[in-house]
Amino acid sequence: MPPTSATHPLGILTLRPNPNFRLRPLASPNLNFTVSSGNVWLPPVTAHYPVVEADRQYVSQFAWHEREYKFNPEDRPSRSMALMADGVIRHYQMGLSLPLAEDQDVELTVRAFSLDGGRPPWSLLTSDRFIEWFHSNVAGGEDPFARKHYGFDGAGIHFTDQRGNEIRMQAGELRLDGLDAAYHYYPRWSGLNARGIYLSLTGRMGLSTTRWNPSADLGLQGAVHYRVQPGPRSALSVAFSTGIVSQQLLTVASAVQFSDKPVRGSGALLLRYAVQTTNNRSFSAGAIVTREGSYYRRAGFDYAVLSGSRITTHWAMAIAHLYEPRMAGNLFAAYAAGRISLSVYLREDILAANAPDLQVGTGLQIGL
């Protein structure tokens, strides 16, 4: 099962652990390669934050979409933050997993990303044209997020934090993103295992290597897995994972502040059905619902003054979504034959924040 973390324009720059739903360590070392592609569409929005407490209390009396007419940042002291993101972000990961003992293994991962306009045939499901065809003909309505208004196939990301530090990416951007290390421990409790219940604990460390976020992150995860066998060659699994990441634990002053929360949480719920066939082959399919904590504390939105082009009702989403948790539904399928396993997935944003809207991915695992 490939990693399903969102190709978020800020999230790709840091450690965001995927849940570990394995029941036990791998029997032998293996290499894995994954590619994820997600269409991100966030038209430009600027947020102004009054510095004086009296100004904050004043603007907080009004609905967020009315504050722009009640507060002039040119007349009163304020800080600002701005974000726009357009294009298909592709996230690449190459990992090596090594068993340590009957109840432990480690995983080393190199990650990178690129940005492009998502033109067919290189992008089919994640292209602007397909997504807007779907909205116009199936669900969503005509141009609900103003993609057609701004034009298709654009690519660019620009983020400015409240300290004036910037992230700028353009079409053709390809960067090494970071290095991650994970240690997995699988407690062997015969009483629970006999009832089909399995546990795992994971410790993670991530080194982000871009000039925008040179930092070290630490994470901790836990998962509980319930597995039953409806037949001699089939298995049904339900699992839940939760974890936290301490962001920018070590960093430099010039790093971009993409979040004001030192610790962010995440969770995932898995439902999977697997069938073992003859000749050492297997097939599995299922669904995962994921939730990731917001990038910024909700309290900051209570006095944020947003400005942007009010083309649709979603005009402010570029900033507003940073104060909300990220939720998505994932459908996946995997086929294994001998030492080789191939998996695919489709991820859809549940909250319509478009960061990303639609995402697809594939993974290849090779036993050594």
Side-chain angles (χ1 to χ4, degrees):
M1 186 173 62
T4 55
S5 291
T7 56
H8 189 279
L10 303 182
I12 58 174
L13 302 177
T14 187
L15 170 67
R16 286 179 308 151
N18 283 279
N20 176 31
F21 286 129
R22 289 202 298 264
L23 301 181
R24 57 184 64 87
L26 294 170
S28 61
N30 73 78
L31 289 172
N32 58 80
F33 308 88
T34 63
V35 179
S36 301
S37 301
N39 187 300
V40 176
W41 172 237
L42 300 169
V45 177
T46 299
H48 302 281
Y49 303 90
V51 173
V52 179
E53 182 61 30
D55 291 338
R56 294 183 177 184
Q57 294 181 4
Y58 171 71
V59 299
S60 65
Q61 301 176 71
F62 304 100
W64 66 266
H65 51 83
E66 298 177 351
R67 296 172 191 165
E68 185 179 6
Y69 310 111
K70 307 295 182 179
F71 179 84
N72 187 348
E74 296 183 359
D75 296 336
R76 301 293 299 168
S78 64
R79 299 187 304 273
S80 64
M81 181 171 71
L83 173 62
M84 67 78 56
D86 183 16
V88 172
I89 298 175
R90 306 185 195 274
H91 205 220
Y92 314 93
Q93 296 188 61
M94 181 176 69
L96 172 64
S97 296
L98 301 169
L100 295 181
E102 292 184 353
D103 57 359
Q104 304 169 52
D105 62 21
V106 295
E107 187 173 6
L108 306 174
T109 304
V110 179
R111 45 186 163 92
F113 70 87
S114 66
L115 177 68
D116 61 77
R119 293 176 180 269
W122 310 113
S123 295
L124 295 176
L125 297 180
T126 56
S127 70
D128 288 346
R129 285 173 171 78
F130 174 80
I131 291 174
E132 287 312 313
W133 173 89
F134 183 89
H135 285 156
S136 299
N137 295 279
V138 181
E142 184 63 22
D143 201 20
F145 305 111
R147 274 190 183 93
K148 293 182 179 179
H149 174 84
Y150 285 91
F152 289 161
D153 306 329
I157 296 172
H158 182 202
F159 174 70
T160 304
D161 69 13
Q162 296 185 41
R163 299 178 296 193
N165 298 321
E166 289 185 305
I167 296 173
R168 286 187 179 271
M169 306 180 200
Q170 58 187 3
E173 197 93 33
L174 174 62
R175 291 181 181 270
L176 178 67
D177 186 22
L179 308 171
D180 298 338
Y183 166 79
H184 305 295
Y185 172 59
Y186 307 83
R188 301 183 65 185
W189 293 337
S190 58
L192 290 178
N193 298 163
R195 291 174 173 82
I197 300 174
Y198 301 84
L199 306 176
S200 68
L201 296 173
T202 300
R204 297 183 184 270
M205 181 180 70
L207 297 177
S208 298
T209 57
T210 63
R211 61 184 176 86
W212 305 300
N213 183 34
S215 65
D217 309 317
L218 290 178
L220 182 65
Q221 277 180 302
V224 57
H225 200 125
Y226 178 62
R227 181 174 180 267
V228 296
Q229 292 187 271
R233 292 183 174 271
S234 63
L236 178 65
S237 299
V238 178
F240 174 74
S241 172
T242 185
I244 58 172
V245 172
S246 179
Q247 301 178 133
Q248 295 184 324
L249 192 63
L250 297 174
T251 188
V252 298
S254 60
V256 174
Q257 186 186 33
F258 57 87
S259 173
D260 69 355
K261 299 173 71 173
V263 175
R264 295 178 63 223
S266 62
L269 180 65
L270 165 77
L271 176 64
R272 177 172 59 197
Y273 182 73
V275 177
Q276 186 79 30
T277 64
T278 58
N279 300 323
N280 197 27
R281 301 171 188 268
S282 65
F283 174 80
S284 63
I288 305 176
V289 176
T290 59
R291 186 184 189 277
E292 183 181 344
S294 64
Y295 284 82
Y296 284 82
R297 297 183 179 95
R298 180 66 190 183
F301 192 74
D302 293 341
Y303 55 86
V305 181
L306 305 187
S307 62
S309 299
R310 300 179 178 230
I311 298 170
T312 72
T313 55
H314 290 77
W315 68 270
M317 191 56 67
I319 293 295
H321 90 277
L322 296 176
Y323 293 91
E324 300 291 343
R326 312 294 323 115
M327 292 189 67
N330 304 267
L331 299 176
F332 69 89
Y335 175 75
R339 293 179 176 270
I340 297 177
S341 175
L342 179 66
S343 57
V344 294
Y345 78 93
L346 184 146
R347 180 187 193 276
E348 175 63 21
D349 180 18
I350 292 177
L351 300 179
N354 292 338
D357 184 349
L358 184 67
Q359 179 175 322
V360 297
T362 184
L364 174 66
Q365 183 174 296
I366 303 173
L368 301 180

